[in-house]
Amino acid sequence: MTSIPRLPGHPNGLKFGAFDSDGGLLLRRVYYSIGGGFVVSDGELESVKSASPADADVPYPFANAHDMLVMANDAGLSIAQLKRANEQATTPRTRLDAGVDAIWTAMSACIDRGLSQDGIMPGGLKVKRRAKAIHAQLDAQWQRNEITPLMANDWLSVYAMAVNEENAGGGRVVTAPTNGAAGVIPAVLRYFLKFNAGASPANIRDYLLTAAAIGGIIKHNASISGAEVGCQGEVGSASAMAAAGLCAIMGGTPTQVENAAEIALEHHLGMTCDPVGGLVQIPCIERNAFGAVKAVTAASLAMKGDGVHAVPLDACVETMRQTGMDMSDRYKETSQAGLAVNFPAC
Ligand code: SF4
């Protein structure tokens, strides 16, 4: 595969030119897709990069996990409450809640759609959708009140795969924090709701607000873009966000929440992005299932501790950034190495 020279601002860049009938250049523009659905021009890129949450006109302008914990401690608030207060600086409470609820409704609908579809996903790899058939098996066990040792993993995996099969099939997903990693956060929340009859709408909002706080820290201090830092930045970030959200709604303290995020991210460090055929199918669909399982493990481990831990989340985020910078471009969404080149062509 010929490699195309990278544009200076971000690995995901496109240069557009408009020419007159004589081939004379009329207009040239450069745009970057920086992850999470955001597309900016080269002019906007610098201001996006230099903008710091610490300068935001909000009551708790935390730019990293350390400041977040100090502010939470000083104010006696949870991470979700800090994030809510910041959001409510610009958005009235009712509109904020309606927006967060709409996000969950879209995530949940995506899971349901993914669980009802079968067939082959587009793109030429002939990858079969599996979530519907797996869900039918799990649902049959559920109806028989059968408890199996693998139950938790199975439900988490099937929810995550349903979302990522929808993504691969061109369905509607919620970017969280990216489309390739969109299955982790919905899967963990749906799992919590299924196995906790007493769960409330407040749990849903706190989960998503907490996850958003962690995602913001990672995005600001490192990256959520597979093209920039590999899959550690996509599924790793999603797993950290979900772990933090789950820990919060299981009653975790702010330090336990930060610990949960750190554990989940730590165990995705170094993970490359090598999608087969440039399609977000292999390894992406199953990878989201693993991200969800790791998130639950991380939340559970954090809940069993007291929040005191060796590696702060900020150190882990910085490690991810440095690892991503050292990673060859061949492992950053270019499909030039890894599984993408060792996949047997049948
Ligand atoms: S392997 Fe690459 S494309 Fe697939 S989910 Fe990870 S970062 Fe996204």
Side-chain angles (χ1 to χ4, degrees):
M1 194 185 289
T2 320
S3 67
I4 300 164
R6 283 172 55 142
L7 293 173
H10 188 279
N12 268 345
L14 267 185
K15 210 187 265 183
F16 294 91
F19 300 86
D20 64 21
S21 52
D22 300 324
L25 180 67
L26 297 171
L27 191 68
R28 174 154 283 165
R29 288 278 187 273
V30 176
Y31 289 98
Y32 294 102
S33 168
I34 58 172
F38 293 94
V39 174
V40 295
S41 68
D42 51 351
E44 292 163 332
L45 187 66
E46 272 322 301
S47 55
V48 168
K49 278 185 173 172
S50 57
S52 170
D55 300 330
D57 191 13
V58 294
Y60 303 106
F62 57 86
N64 53 49
H66 171 268
D67 291 355
M68 176 183 77
L69 289 179
V70 169
M71 288 178 194
N73 186 50
D74 290 351
L77 296 177
S78 68
I79 308 298
Q81 286 168 331
L82 287 190
K83 184 69 179 157
R84 172 177 284 285
N86 287 350
E87 294 296 323
Q88 285 182 197
T90 52
T91 310
R93 184 181 184 105
T94 47
R95 195 141 65 82
L96 176 65
D97 284 345
V100 174
D101 294 349
I103 288 172
W104 173 242
T105 301
M107 285 178 166
S108 196
C110 179
I111 293 177
D112 291 336
R113 242 185 354 265
L115 294 178
S116 68
Q117 308 292 313
D118 47 24
I120 305 287
M121 284 171 284
L125 287 179
K126 302 197 177 93
V127 179
K128 262 177 75 173
R129 283 182 181 253
R130 288 176 287 166
K132 182 180 175 184
I134 295 172
H135 182 252
Q137 289 175 32
L138 295 179
D139 204 41
Q141 287 172 347
W142 185 260
Q143 302 303 331
R144 295 193 295 269
N145 288 326
E146 227 175 275
I147 308 286
T148 76
L150 304 179
M151 220 169 152
N153 287 8
D154 288 343
W155 282 99
L156 284 161
S157 297
V158 80
Y159 291 147
M161 288 170 69
V163 171
N164 288 86
E165 287 178 359
E166 276 299 286
N167 181 54
R172 183 183 186 224
V173 304
V174 177
T175 305
T178 64
N179 280 16
V184 177
I185 291 170
V188 171
L189 181 52
R190 183 72 170 260
Y191 165 78
F192 176 81
L193 297 176
K194 183 167 184 75
F195 286 88
N196 286 278
S200 68
N203 287 146
I204 296 171
R205 294 171 188 157
D206 285 351
Y207 174 89
L208 291 174
L209 287 166
T210 308
I214 300 301
I217 288 169
I218 299 173
K219 185 177 173 184
H220 175 64
N221 294 292
S223 174
I224 54 161
S225 164
E228 235 176 355
V229 294
C231 199
Q232 53 173 356
E234 291 210 10
V235 171
S237 299
S239 189
M241 293 165 70
L246 181 62
C247 186
I249 59 176
M250 290 194 309
T253 63
T255 51
Q256 286 172 319
V257 168
E258 183 257 3
N259 190 6
E262 190 280 321
I263 296 170
L265 187 62
E266 182 178 315
H267 300 290
H268 286 87
L269 288 176
M271 198 160 72
T272 59
C273 167
D274 53 359
V276 175
L279 298 165
V280 189
Q281 297 179 1
I282 302 173
C284 318
I285 295 170
E286 287 177 359
R287 186 161 287 176
N288 275 259
F290 279 74
V293 170
K294 283 193 205 178
V296 173
T297 307
S300 178
L301 281 174
M303 288 295 288
K304 288 177 178 59
D306 58 7
V308 178
H309 56 107
V311 182
L313 175 58
D314 288 330
C316 192
V317 171
E318 174 58 14
T319 304
M320 183 181 88
R321 190 190 67 77
Q322 290 177 13
T323 306
M325 293 306 106
D326 286 344
M327 200 182 275
S328 161
D329 282 351
R330 299 191 311 131
Y331 294 96
K332 292 195 273 193
E333 222 173 67
T334 55
S335 298
Q336 292 178 339
L339 275 180
V341 298
N342 290 301
F343 184 78
C346 318

